[in-house]
Amino acid sequence: MRLILLGPPGAGKGTQAQRLISKYGIIQLSTGDMLRAAVAAGSAVGLRAKAIMDRGKLVPDEVVVAIVADRIDQPDARRGIVLDGFPRTVAQAEALDRLLSERSLKLDAVIELRVDEGILLKRIEKRVAEMTARGEKLRSDDNPEVLKGRLAAYRAQTAPLANYYAAKGLLRAVDGMAPIDEVTAAIDAILAKAMAGKAARRGGKPAKAARAKGRGGKRRAAKAAKRAKAPARRGRATGSKRGKAARAGRLKNKAGMRKSGSRRRLTKAR
Ligand code: AMP
């Protein structure tokens, strides 16, 4: 199973992705988490991404596409992936299409968590205030100002992906403002339908292909048998010695049958 969770920051993609990985045994591929890990590790990618992330802007496409390509090639990604926070631009979506088709893989669904941005912003402001009051550590981009920038980036660069995937017939929307369990149930229902459709397509195709192969196989076998029976006739066409001998034999038989009247008797018996 391969799916994308689409939605603005704070829509609950991470929470739902966690539930999906425990339910389906797939991996979560969160470019935000991977970039934060790169920043913490002080890697070249991290150094390049940090300042951009702190401003709430998008890291260049080629950077995130490269980390996604690496991750989907790892063995644990074979069972499935839930992409969270990627793709974020149409160019990233196109790159993902290429990555998947080069590996003969397909997306099963793109689930958009639809939320009211005004309410979302208030929720996040409240959460940030509560965490600050408790003295908990915040993400460096988890403050209302940066969040506004992240929402603007989502609207301008990521929201168009809904149309991109709708045109491919992959987009399904759920109400991201509903209670978490209800969102999970809605996602489960979408995935159950998508996977049933996939199983039906898989079940149908090989059966059909096998039938066609069977028919072709029989035809091929009949032709081969005919060919095996026909060396004498082919010989006649080419005028080979074997063909001549066979023809002579047949003529001898015919003459013999005429003599004994067996040919007439045979005709009568038919
Ligand atoms: P997230 O945790 O998904 O909200 O991502 C945090 C930050 O990481 C974003 O505000 C971006 O700066 C960066 N980021 C994460 N994913 C991507 C992506 N697919 N493309 C570009 N930048 C990304």
Side-chain angles (χ1 to χ4, degrees):
M1 173 191 297
R2 275 165 297 273
L3 72 140
I4 294 173
L5 290 180
L6 202 61
K13 299 186 300 292
T15 307
Q16 296 301 331
Q18 280 306 315
R19 293 182 171 203
L20 289 168
I21 61 175
S22 47
K23 178 159 185 189
Y24 297 102
I26 57 180
I27 62 151
Q28 175 189 14
L29 200 164
S30 157
T31 40
D33 285 351
M34 290 161 89
L35 288 168
R36 277 184 288 280
V39 170
S43 70
V45 165
L47 292 176
R48 197 171 164 196
K50 186 172 181 345
I52 302 170
M53 292 170 74
D54 284 349
R55 283 184 286 123
K57 301 277 183 225
L58 293 188
V59 172
D61 290 338
E62 74 272 12
V63 174
V64 279
V65 169
I67 60 177
V68 168
D70 270 2
R71 188 66 186 97
I72 63 175
D73 281 336
Q74 285 164 26
D76 60 348
R78 267 187 222 135
R79 289 191 59 188
I81 320 169
V82 48
L83 290 154
D84 153 16
F86 180 91
R88 257 176 155 102
T89 62
V90 171
Q92 289 180 18
E94 289 167 348
L96 178 64
D97 285 346
R98 282 193 296 276
L99 286 179
L100 293 175
S101 79
E102 280 160 15
R103 291 157 178 79
S104 306
L105 301 173
K106 276 190 173 160
L107 280 174
D108 297 303
V110 177
I111 301 177
E112 184 188 9
L113 303 181
R114 289 207 176 138
V115 292
D116 178 315
E117 278 192 23
I119 300 176
L120 195 70
L121 199 57
K122 283 201 187 88
R123 265 196 205 167
I124 295 173
E125 281 171 350
K126 193 172 160 224
R127 195 190 73 205
V128 168
E130 284 167 359
M131 284 175 77
T132 312
R134 287 196 298 266
E136 288 172 25
K137 202 169 177 281
L138 287 170
R139 269 169 49 172
S140 58
D141 58 354
D142 230 356
N143 68 67
E145 270 326 296
V146 176
L147 192 79
K148 277 181 198 152
R150 288 165 66 200
L151 284 172
Y154 181 83
R155 240 177 280 126
Q157 289 160 283
T158 311
L161 289 183
N163 286 339
Y164 181 87
Y165 288 115
K168 290 178 179 282
L170 283 169
L171 188 77
R172 303 287 178 269
V174 303
D175 175 11
M177 303 309 288
I180 293 175
D181 287 345
E182 278 178 34
V183 177
T184 305
I187 292 175
D188 279 346
I190 290 168
L191 292 178
K193 213 169 159 189
M195 298 320 282
K198 189 176 178 178
R201 283 192 299 279
R202 271 195 179 157
K205 262 188 195 157
K208 230 172 149 183
R211 276 203 305 278
K213 204 175 159 200
R215 279 198 300 271
K218 267 186 198 164
R219 266 200 304 273
R220 273 196 299 276
K223 271 188 184 168
K226 219 172 164 185
R227 271 199 303 276
K229 272 189 198 162
R233 276 209 260 155
R234 272 194 295 156
R236 183 171 52 178
T238 57
S240 73
K241 268 188 189 168
R242 234 173 111 190
K244 278 179 190 157
R247 192 150 44 117
R250 275 202 306 276
L251 288 173
K252 211 171 145 194
N253 276 348
K254 251 189 196 169
M257 280 196 310
R258 261 202 298 277
K259 235 185 195 172
S260 65
S262 59
R263 187 174 162 78
R264 207 158 26 120
R265 274 203 301 280
L266 270 175
T267 316
K268 262 190 181 167
R270 262 189 228 140

